[in-house]
């Protein structure tokens, strides 16, 4: 039974992405959302809505989806790597660029030099771009500070972004992104610094929800990743990893063995790794932006992941070096074009499966009773339209915890 303060959102085409609906995208016709404060309390047939209920919103047959969830970004950083990209396109080698101080450590320098306010201003613009495409939850990693002070600085900026925006932020500690200059050649000692100081101190300050590692020939070894995961496990901290991006070190099996939240990139994932994932709740996160920007050739094993029913998510991996795209819609489009996902798989990848990657599968990513009232309203009829045509932004309205954020003045809409 309704309360006078309940809000009824009616006449929408609901793409619920819900496990409770059998139709593609969980589409359900002639139903309304009943919102009480920050939550959806029911998805109810239109003909059961009392006509005289005081608070009703007419969605005028627009498409409604869960708010999009970008479950993998490096959104907080200083500087940019545009010139480095131009050098690469002019034939300068990676090695030469990194010998000239380019690569991740160029962004580390710029991030260490940037004040918290500068980082906040820069990151706010990037977050705004995601929100304007209907994103309501964003994961944000550290990993450009690479010492206690600057890793904390990054995570506090992420925290401030959550305070000053109608958005849900999931912060991740990625101190194990690369070895900082002062630890060059001493990666093991740097891993010890993370395990003994950075991890426990920032965990005590509740500045992150999970721990991430770049497990790669140019990153940290499987043994170093395991040492980090063991330290996280001792503190009860969930883990995830950048795994099998350029080679297969067995990283996904390690994440699965710790029942980790997600394994990300996974272009070089093999059947053994997939079998391990199939026995854990770990989500396989596809990052087509990096694949595209690095002109990689090895696609992730999407068909086999589907065969083993491993949930796949799609994320922007927004970062200045390998995926400088603040657009989750572009990532969805690339996941279909480059990796062969169907539009429905791409949509599940930024809603239900992305929520699971952030340990929010019971509260986010579906239009169903008990879920947060985070949803996006589109000037469109079918979910595929949102992925198919980029450039024009069909977002009509973004609703976060039941509150509409400013409507985009769709001046051209008839
Ligand atoms: O180049 C950068 O700034 C980050 C690269 C990015 N980080 C990672 O672990 N894999 C990547 O592609
Ligand atoms: Fe990444």
């Amino acid at each position: 039974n309704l309360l006078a303060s309940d809000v009824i959102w009616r006449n929408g085409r609901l793409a619920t992405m819900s496990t409770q609906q059998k139709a593609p995208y969980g589409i359900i016709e002639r139903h309304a959302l009943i919102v009480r404060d920050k939550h959806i309390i029911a998805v109810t047939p239109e003909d059961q809505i009392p006509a005289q209920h005081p608070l009703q919103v007419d969605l005028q047959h627009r498409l409604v989806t869960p708010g999009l969830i970008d479950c993998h970004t490096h959104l907080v950083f200083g500087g940019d790597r545009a010139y480095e990209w131009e050098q690469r396109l002019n034939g300068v080698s990676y090695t030469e660029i990194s010998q000239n101080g380019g690569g991740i450590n160029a962004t580390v320098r710029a991030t260490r030099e940037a004040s918290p306010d500068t980082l906040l201003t820069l990151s706010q613009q990037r977050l705004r771009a995601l929100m304007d495409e209907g994103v309501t939850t964003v994961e944000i990693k550290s990993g450009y500070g690479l010492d206690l002070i600057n890793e904390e600085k990054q995570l506090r900026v992420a925290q401030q972004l959550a305070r000053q925006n109608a958005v849900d932020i999931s912060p991740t500690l990625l101190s194990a992104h690369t070895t900082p200059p002062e630890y060059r050649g001493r990666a093991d000692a740097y891993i010890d610094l993370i395990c003994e100081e950075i991890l426990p101190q920032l965990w005590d300050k509740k500045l992150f929800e999970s721990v991430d590692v770049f497990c790669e020939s140019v990153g940290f070894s499987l043994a170093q990743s395991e040492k980090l995961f063991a330290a996280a496990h001792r503190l009860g901290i969930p883990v995830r990893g950048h795994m099998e991006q350029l080679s297969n070190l067995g990283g996904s099996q390690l994440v699965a063995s710790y029942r980790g939240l997600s394994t990300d990139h996974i272009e070089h994932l093999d059947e053994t790794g997939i079998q391990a994932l199939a026995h854990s709740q770990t989500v396989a996160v596809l990052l087509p932006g990096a694949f595209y920007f690095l002109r990689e050739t090895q696609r992730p094993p999407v068909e086999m992941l589907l065969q083993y029913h491993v949930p796949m998510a799609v994320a922007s991996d927004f970062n200045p070096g390998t995926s400088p795209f603040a657009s989750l819609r572009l990532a969805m489009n690339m996941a279909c074009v480059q990796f062969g996902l169907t539009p429905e798989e791409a949509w599940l990848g930024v809603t239900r499966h992305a929520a699971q990657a952030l340990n929010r599968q019971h509260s986010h990513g579906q239009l169903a009773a008990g879920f947060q009232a985070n949803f996006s309203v589109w000037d469109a009829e079918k979910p595929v339209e949102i992925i198919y045509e980029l450039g024009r932004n069909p977002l009509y309205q973004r609703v976060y915890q039941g509150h509409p954020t400013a409507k985009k003045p769709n001046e051209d809409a008839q």
Side-chain angles (χ1 to χ4, degrees), residues 43-61:
V43 179
T44 303
E46 292 276 4
D47 57 17
Q48 291 176 21
I49 304 290
Q52 74 285 359
H53 184 77
L55 295 176
Q56 307 199 26
V57 177
D58 183 351
L59 291 160
Q60 299 165 320
H61 306 299

Side-chain angles (χ1 to χ4, degrees), residues 88-122:
R88 277 211 331 257
L89 290 170
N90 278 281
V92 179
S93 75
Y94 254 119
T95 321
E96 201 175 334
I97 289 170
S98 79
Q99 274 159 0
N100 296 340
I104 296 183
N105 274 319
T107 303
V108 171
R109 265 195 316 280
T111 305
R112 286 178 168 180
E113 284 160 15
S115 70
D117 278 355
T118 303
L119 289 180
L120 184 61
T121 305
L122 292 170

